[in-house]
Amino acid sequence: MAEIKEECGVFGIYDLDGNDVTSSIYYGLTSLQHRGQEACGLAVSDTKGPIGNVKFHKDLGLVSEVLREDTLHKMSGDIGIGHVRYSTTGASVAENAQPLVLSYVKGSLALAHNGNLVNTKALKWELIQSGAVFHTTTDSEVIAFHVARERVHTSCVEEAVLNTARKLQGAYGLVIMSPRKLIGVRDPYGLKPLCLGKRDNAYVLASESCALTSVGAEFIRDIEPGEMVTISRKGVKSDKTLASMVKTRAHCVFEYIYFARLDSTLDGVKVYDARIRGGKSLAKSYPVEADLVTGVPESGLPAAKGFSEESGIPFGFAFYKNSYIGRTFIKPTQKERESSVHLKLSVLEAVVKGKRIVLVDDSIVRGTTIANLIRMLKEAGALEVHVRISSPPFLHPCYFGTDVPSNDQLIAAQHSTEEICKMIGADSLGYMEIDYLEGMAGGIPICKACFDGKYPMEIPDENNLQNDFEIHKI
């Protein structure tokens, strides 16, 4: 239960038999709800109808709140995309919800984006100089405008997308809908996930494989880093031109620690297995005498199971989770965050009373949530609470779509492990050792810059990023 805002989730589907895909987008987005609970939306079109017949709806709220039955009943099409959002750039307002839908000289374009660019300022300034007016404050709109501008001078939309992607620096998983094509693009580093599936004669693009399962689609493969796939009446076409732009790969390690759903497989690595391995490495690095291992629901539970398996200490559930309360970190003030913890979780007193507890969580950002949980356990009669964290200490901000706060808000950047242990009221504290991360993630090349400060690409000056020029919204 980290105090981190998650990444976004994208979904796209094209049914070549002409069947309506609106309900499939709804179910796909519902399965990706864990990636963004702030806003959502979908856009659909009929490839047999006139160009520009796009219907879309988006707003702040959960999928079930925004995409209600009466709204979906008015929408139909055989091609469409959807998005669930947490803001990493741009304010939390309805205008910034996605997909972004544009009408321009070549017809229509809809785009959904997971990730964050580091050269947004330069790309936006280029557009402003040519007269562009922005309706949102997101980098996603910048991408969409560049695609539309490129399309005017290219023979096909794929070429326009490719030309735009060459300019992008940062992390992105994109799904783009043109009147007759569905396109998916993944950044050359592979920072953001994207996969391809098939159901009968319909092709599906999604941030995670769990979304394919939810609509009855078979997982075909991951979109490769730097790959663009185009789905049209001719089938699936692949272009890997972007892959040659970089020499390394850097998959976001936090997908395996926290972001991705437990039943997903990303780049050949099962998320559940990765979290079990993380827990086992914690038990090897920081053994302790205790009576029960438990995890913070939900993401801390698999790592706790791994800790239990390696240590031999019994695993058990110490908390009851109220599934109808939103995640704590979406609350705007610290006081509201703290009160939400008590609403969301309650301690099973009979399980913890008189016992030494190992409490496993995925991360510590500010430290307030874990401190509340430790206090709740001890108030319920736990004799000791030993905290084990299945990630290294956060020491650096993320620029690629994970809303890790600035250094002055990161508790580990300001205090030693011993100091943090005292501050949160734990009897001992152990973090995942950074050398174990590659093994935890199945040996794939990873980005762990939020832990070691070694970013896979050059990062612009942080002050320049924060002091971006004003855009007048209309």
Side-chain angles (χ1 to χ4, degrees):
M1 196 164 71
E3 300 157 342
I4 306 171
K5 289 185 179 178
E6 300 180 35
E7 306 174 343
C8 300
V10 298
F11 185 89
I13 181 171
Y14 185 3
D15 192 309
L16 302 183
D17 288 337
N19 297 310
D20 182 31
V21 298
T22 307
S23 62
S24 292
I25 301 172
Y26 174 88
Y27 292 123
L29 293 181
T30 301
S31 70
L32 295 172
Q33 186 76 86
H34 60 284
R35 298 186 69 87
Q37 300 180 9
E38 180 181 279
C40 67
L42 63 78
V44 293
S45 179
D46 181 2
T47 60
K48 300 183 187 67
I51 290 178
N53 70 109
V54 179
K55 299 181 179 68
F56 68 97
H57 183 74
K58 58 185 179 178
D59 206 346
L60 297 176
L62 301 175
V63 175
S64 60
E65 297 168 343
V66 175
L67 304 177
R68 301 174 65 87
E69 185 176 357
D70 57 341
T71 300
L72 298 181
H73 184 70
K74 303 171 186 176
M75 307 174 72
S76 65
D78 56 357
I79 187 172
I81 64 173
H83 187 268
V84 290
R85 180 176 192 264
Y86 261 127
S87 60
T88 54
T89 64
S92 302
V93 294
E95 290 94 330
N96 287 339
Q98 296 185 38
L100 296 168
V101 180
L102 304 179
S103 295
Y104 67 118
V105 68
K106 289 289 186 176
S108 61
L109 183 81
L111 178 145
H113 170 214
N114 166 32
N116 201 54
L117 304 182
V118 299
N119 66 330
T120 304
K121 181 177 180 180
L123 294 173
K124 190 181 290 185
W125 181 242
E126 182 183 340
L127 291 167
I128 288 173
Q129 287 182 307
S130 62
V133 178
F134 289 85
H135 296 257
T136 80
T137 56
T138 67
D139 53 0
S140 307
E141 187 177 22
V142 175
I143 300 172
F145 275 21
H146 271 279
V147 173
R149 191 174 71 166
E150 288 287 341
R151 179 65 184 94
V152 175
H153 307 291
T154 57
S155 60
C156 61
V157 67
E158 302 101 294
E159 187 179 347
V161 172
L162 200 59
N163 289 347
T164 298
R166 288 190 179 99
K167 304 176 184 178
L168 307 181
Q169 298 173 24
Y172 53 89
L174 298 169
V175 291
I176 299 169
M177 179 181 73
S178 74
R180 306 285 186 264
K181 295 170 183 174
L182 177 66
I183 298 173
V185 194
R186 191 176 182 191
D187 69 79
Y189 292 94
L191 282 158
K192 298 305 169 197
L194 195 64
C195 63
L196 174 69
K198 191 172 187 289
R199 182 190 66 198
D200 300 325
N201 205 24
Y203 287 93
V204 184
L205 294 166
S207 290
E208 293 184 36
S209 61
C210 66
L212 305 180
T213 304
S214 71
V215 298
E218 177 186 357
F219 175 84
I220 297 177
R221 64 178 179 87
D222 291 289
I223 305 303
E224 295 181 20
E227 182 182 12
M228 177 180 72
V229 294
T230 303
I231 300 165
S232 68
R233 294 247 166 234
K234 298 178 181 179
V236 180
K237 183 177 70 175
S238 171
D239 187 308
K240 301 179 183 179
T241 304
L242 297 171
S244 61
M245 292 176 58
V246 301
K247 296 180 180 179
T248 60
R249 299 292 179 261
H251 305 282
C252 175
V253 71
F254 230 72
E255 291 285 352
Y256 302 96
I257 295 171
Y258 175 71
F259 290 140
R261 213 170 82 170
L262 200 57
D263 56 337
S264 287
T265 300
L266 306 179
D267 293 301
V269 180
K270 294 183 183 298
V271 173
Y272 176 81
D273 292 346
R275 292 178 187 166
I276 291 289
R277 286 193 292 268
K280 289 185 175 183
S281 69
L282 272 175
K284 293 175 183 176
S285 301
Y286 301 102
V288 63
E289 291 188 8
D291 305 303
L292 182 77
V293 179
T294 193
V296 180
E298 298 287 335
S299 55
L301 293 172
K305 185 72 164 56
F307 191 105
S308 172
E309 291 177 2
E310 182 65 31
S311 66
I313 303 170
F315 169 82
F317 293 93
F319 297 98
Y320 168 76
K321 180 182 177 182
N322 185 340
S323 300
Y324 302 98
I325 302 296
R327 294 196 169 193
T328 58
F329 49 70
I330 66 174
K331 300 299 180 182
T333 68
Q334 189 57 48
K335 186 175 181 181
E336 287 177 299
R337 266 197 295 267
E338 292 176 9
S339 64
S340 292
V341 172
H342 293 273
L343 286 171
K344 184 179 177 183
L345 294 175
S346 59
V347 177
L348 302 174
E349 184 176 332
V351 175
V352 305
K353 190 172 184 179
K355 293 180 182 178
R356 300 165 297 175
I357 307 295
V358 177
L359 178 63
V360 181
D361 202 359
D362 55 76
S363 62
I364 299 178
V365 182
R366 299 176 182 88
T368 52
T369 301
I370 195 76
N372 282 328
L373 296 179
I374 293 167
R375 183 168 59 251
M376 290 165 63
L377 286 170
K378 291 193 172 182
E379 288 174 351
L383 298 179
E384 300 172 0
V385 179
H386 301 273
V387 174
R388 298 294 180 264
I389 303 298
S390 60
S391 65
F394 278 114
L395 298 174
H396 307 276
C398 175
Y399 297 98
F400 307 124
T402 304
D403 195 16
V404 178
S406 57
N407 284 32
D408 59 352
Q409 297 183 61
L410 294 172
I411 191 171
Q414 309 295 324
H415 301 279
S416 68
T417 300
E418 293 75 17
E419 289 172 336
I420 297 170
C421 184
K422 292 179 181 178
M423 292 168 68
I424 64 176
D427 291 277
S428 69
L429 171 62
Y431 287 92
M432 164 83 78
E433 294 182 9
I434 198 165
D435 290 342
Y436 280 109
L437 286 177
E438 282 84 358
M440 183 272 295
I444 64 173
I446 56 175
C447 174
K448 51 185 187 292
C450 51
F451 306 128
D452 65 8
K454 298 177 181 178
Y455 298 97
M457 68 190 77
E458 185 178 352
I459 302 300
D461 180 77
E462 187 174 356
N463 291 326
N464 288 338
L465 288 174
Q466 293 174 343
N467 298 328
D468 207 353
F469 40 76
E470 292 291 328
I471 299 298
H472 183 69
K473 292 194 294 179
I474 60 173

